[in-house]
Amino acid sequence: MGFGDASAKDKKAAAAKAKDEAAKAAAEDASWQDTDKGVQKKAQRAADAAAKADAKLAAKAELKELERQEEEATSQMKGANKKASGYPKVTQAEIARRQALMGAVAKANPKKQSKKTEVVSQPKLEANTNRQEDVVDASGIDAALSALDVGEKKQVKMTYAEFEARELDGIRQENPGLKMSQAKERCFKMWERSPENPKNQDK
């Protein structure tokens, strides 16, 4: 063994010391790691969401590219840039004009008339009677009678304010010593018993 060479014991001790230090470093690293399952799941969800967002953006970009390629391909086709005009709205006057023209053509050429070109008259349009008040539309005798107001005359419903305006002067004249609040209280009691009160009327 030469000068400065380490003995086997020293080598073993150094190796054991290095191993212990490595184990301590690993233990310290492990202690700094977050082992909370909730935090780990949250981090995993965030990573998954980021991956989904990236995939979505990539799919969107790919779709745009495909659309652009398809537009290029269709624009080269014959008549692709022409817009479809569709059918314009036809008014009653236009229908009448067309029928008159078809009728004139049919009279001029009676032999050429076929089932395809036969003019069919439009059914008669009836006025809308939904909002007319004088029209009675009821099924059954009771409904018809109530719609026509035959029999008893309906009582007009009165409000308390109208009743009070009409009766308060009479109460004040009969009882001149009453205060206004007392007169109004008597008027209200009369209103509760009055047949003009909608609550007292038969429905």
Side-chain angles (χ1 to χ4, degrees):
M1 189 162 81
F3 182 73
D5 287 339
S7 66
K9 265 187 180 178
D10 291 338
K11 286 181 182 178
K12 281 185 181 179
K17 187 177 180 183
K19 192 175 184 182
D20 284 343
E21 286 178 4
K24 283 181 184 178
E28 188 175 342
D29 288 345
S31 71
W32 282 102
Q33 282 184 347
D34 207 352
T35 57
D36 186 14
K37 289 182 181 178
V39 173
Q40 289 175 350
K41 285 183 181 179
K42 187 175 181 181
Q44 182 64 34
R45 283 194 304 267
D48 290 346
K52 275 186 184 179
D54 290 343
K56 196 173 187 180
L57 284 174
K60 205 180 246 187
E62 184 181 353
L63 187 63
K64 273 191 175 182
E65 179 61 26
L66 287 173
E67 284 178 0
R68 187 189 60 75
Q69 289 174 359
E70 186 177 345
E71 283 178 11
E72 283 180 5
T74 56
S75 66
Q76 294 172 358
M77 290 181 187
K78 187 176 182 181
N81 293 330
K82 294 179 183 174
K83 291 184 179 178
S85 62
Y87 296 103
K89 185 175 178 181
V90 180
T91 62
Q92 291 289 329
E94 181 66 22
I95 292 171
R97 188 182 68 78
R98 288 180 184 175
Q99 284 181 346
L101 285 173
M102 292 291 285
V105 169
K107 286 179 183 176
N109 300 326
K111 292 180 181 178
K112 289 186 177 181
Q113 193 174 18
S114 68
K115 290 203 178 222
K116 287 185 179 179
T117 60
E118 184 179 340
V119 177
V120 178
S121 62
Q122 180 179 358
K124 182 182 175 188
L125 293 177
E126 295 180 11
N128 186 359
T129 59
N130 289 343
R131 299 194 188 272
Q132 292 180 355
E133 294 178 5
D134 56 346
V135 176
V136 175
D137 185 20
S139 60
I141 294 172
D142 293 334
L145 288 176
S146 65
L148 292 172
D149 291 332
V150 175
E152 292 184 24
K153 188 176 180 183
K154 287 187 178 179
Q155 292 181 340
V156 178
K157 293 185 179 180
M158 179 181 276
T159 63
Y160 173 69
E162 293 170 346
F163 183 81
E164 183 183 48
R166 189 184 74 196
E167 296 292 326
L168 195 58
D169 290 334
I171 294 172
R172 297 286 310 257
Q173 287 175 0
E174 290 174 10
N175 304 301
L178 291 179
K179 294 180 183 176
M180 180 60 95
S181 61
Q182 292 172 329
K184 285 188 176 185
E185 189 175 317
R186 283 193 183 186
C187 185
F188 185 73
K189 286 181 181 178
M190 287 173 60
W191 167 252
E192 287 180 329
R193 294 187 303 265
S194 171
E196 294 168 340
N197 186 344
K199 290 182 182 178
N200 297 335
Q201 293 176 0
D202 293 333
K203 293 181 181 177

